[in-house]
Every structure is written in C-alpha cells, then in structure tokens.
Amino acid sequence: MNQFDDQKCKKIQLDITEHINQCNDIKDLNLAKSHFVGKDGIITTILRQCMKDPDINGEDKKIVGKKINDLKDFFSNLYKEKINEMQNLAQSAEQVDFTIPVYSNIGKMHPLSLAKEQIHKIMQEMGFCHEKGPSIESEYYNFEALNIEKNHPARNEKDTFFVEENVLRTHTTSVQIRALESGKYKDNFRIYSIGDVYRRDDDSTHLPMFHQIEGFIVDDNASVSTLKGFLLDFLKKFFEKDDVEIQLRPGYFPFTEPSVEVDVKFDNGKWLEILGAGMIRKNILQKNGYKKGFAFGIGLERIAMIKFGISEIHDLVDNNLPWLKKYGSKGIAL
Ligand code: PHE
C-alpha cells in the first residue's frame, strides 16, 4: 500500500492541475486525458498494478480503488472546467468581427475636411503659425477691438446670433486680436486660423454656419502689393494650378485700410468673390506694439466648392451618402 499513499495522490493531483492549466486547445486536453486516464495512462496503470499486486489484500485494494476513482473524478472535473473556459473564450472571440476592413480602407474625407487639411499644410509650408479662438466669442474680440462700433449693422440681432452676453463669432478675425494681444509674437510673423463662423444668413447660397481661413502677416514690408502676391501664391497652391487669375476691388472693413474684396476667375470667364483683405488698421497694430501688416479672410466653403466642382452649398451639409461617396476623397495624411 505504501506505493500509493496520500502523498502520491496529492502529487498526481498537482500534476493534473499543472497539465490542464497549460492546455491551449482541445488537442492538448486530449493528450492530457490519455496521459492520465487513458489505457496506459498514469492513473490507469497504478490501478492495474495495485489490483495485480499479491501483497495488497482485498480490503486495501478497495481503498486504492476508491482513491483512484477520486483521482479520475478530479481529472474529469478539471477537464470539463477547462473545456468550458475554452468555449467561452471562443464565443467572445466570435463577437469581434476580424473581417471588418481597417478604417482607412473604407473611410472617405468630406471635401471640406480635405480642403482644411490641404490649407493647414500649405499655410505651414508658407511659414504661418496656427492659432485658435473660441466659437462663442465676446463682443469685444468679435466687434469692439476690430473697430466695429455699437451701432454697426453687423452687431444687429438680424445678422448675429447672440448667446447671453456673447456672440457666435461672425468671422475668424477675432483670432487676430487674440494673437496680437497675447504678446507671444515679436517682429515679423505670420498667423493663420481656420474655423467655424456664424451669421443669420440661410438661403440658397448661404449657410448660417460656415468656415473661414483667417491669416495675417505683420512685416515691415507688408503692402497691398505683397498681399496680392501672397494671395496668388496661396491660391495657386490650393487650386494646384499656375494660371490662377484674381482681381482686387475696393472694399470696406472697419479693421483694414485700404480694404479689398478679391475675386477669382473661373474657367468660364466669370469672376467669383472668395475673400476680403486689407492692410491692418494702424490703431489695432499700434495698440499692441506693431507697425505694419496685412490680413485676409477666405470663405472655406467657396474655395472648396470651386476646387472640387461643387455647385450647391447645401450639399456640403446634407449628409447625402451617394453625394459624399462621389465628392469624398482619401485624405492626404491623417
Ligand atoms: N472678417 C472679414 C469677413 O468676415 C474678412 C476679412 C478678414 C477682411 C481680414 C479683411 C481682413 O468678411
């Protein structure tokens, strides 16, 4: 009986536990099964030997038989538990569909996002730093600091969305003041911003929310002529063609003098206004310790529509899937 005492029993139990824990699949489990309880398995062999052993009396054989059966139960319980665990794992793996293509293969960028991405790239290549401002803006940054007086029509409730004592910014020129006031920039520098703007305009050619690209250069050599040169360079890069034609018409903005409206010539010979610009007013620059600069504000929707051949501004926000598939495009680099 010595050869099958409790200690040996414990040792076999430990062996079984270790073996089963290391099983990774059903094949491993079946190997463990034949190793322990198969025809020539450890447990079966011990049982056979005991039964044949003439030194073990009938009573002891019963005890050994009981211990062996307990060991077999011990094995079969662990075996069943492990199978359950494997089935649960397989089920949860099935819930994750590994066949779904990775995002970049199916997604397309909205033409406005694509245009925005291209503009970020161009502006940074042209030496501009990016600045951001809030969409809910104070009247000070949106109007006052830009010489837009209290009784100016733009400050009318018919034109502007008011949010308590603030406004939804009507242009991104507010970012210009924030950047100038920040004192972060010294000497000659270039800043741009791209963002959402809001006006109470909602008809076939306007959206109440649209986007502007704002840019300004503070530089001793800033002039209307360098402004025009810069705009041409920018538009050539954006439209990806060399023969871009623009015309400057006199305009009025309280924060620039002289001010211009800029049109771009279409292939059909027609001109379309795409931006406002001008030399930043002295009072704005001097208040913040600067001398000379020009600024411009471009309608993102306008230039994106020209570039991608989109005729209806409302298509940009209609979420029409066939339209998005047609005009969407793979991004440059996300
Ligand atoms: N803020 C002006 C607009 O919204 C555009 C502009 C920006 C004009 C900068 C001049 C200089 O129409």
Side-chain angles (χ1 to χ4, degrees), residues 171 173 199 212 214 253 255-256 276-278 295-297:
H171 53 185
T173 314
R199 291 183 196 171
Q212 286 186 332
E214 188 81 19
F253 300 103
F255 37 92
T256 48
F296 52 90

Side-chain angles (χ1 to χ4, degrees), residues 39 41 53-54 69 115 121 123 153 176 190 202 228 241 318:
K39 203 152 58 67
D53 194 335
N69 277 341
K121 196 162 172 271
M123 295 305 264
Q176 186 188 124
R190 303 169 173 211
D202 194 5
K228 183 174 179 186
K241 55 181 202 170
D318 272 353

Side-chain angles (χ1 to χ4, degrees), residues 136-186:
I136 300 178
E137 187 53 282
S138 69
E139 290 204 50
Y140 169 77
Y141 285 113
N142 197 77
F143 296 130
E144 258 157 69
L146 289 161
N147 300 330
I148 305 174
E149 303 295 335
K150 272 263 179 289
N151 55 357
H152 192 281
R155 293 181 76 154
N156 197 301
E157 292 211 350
K158 275 204 238 112
D159 294 305
T160 301
F161 292 102
F162 285 82
V163 183
E164 292 165 5
E165 70 274 24
N166 295 312
V167 293
L168 291 186
R169 65 178 175 192
T170 58
H171 53 185
T172 40
T173 314
S174 50
V175 181
Q176 186 188 124
I177 301 298
R178 287 181 173 273
L180 290 177
E181 281 188 0
S182 76
K184 271 199 288 191
Y185 300 99
K186 305 269 177 285

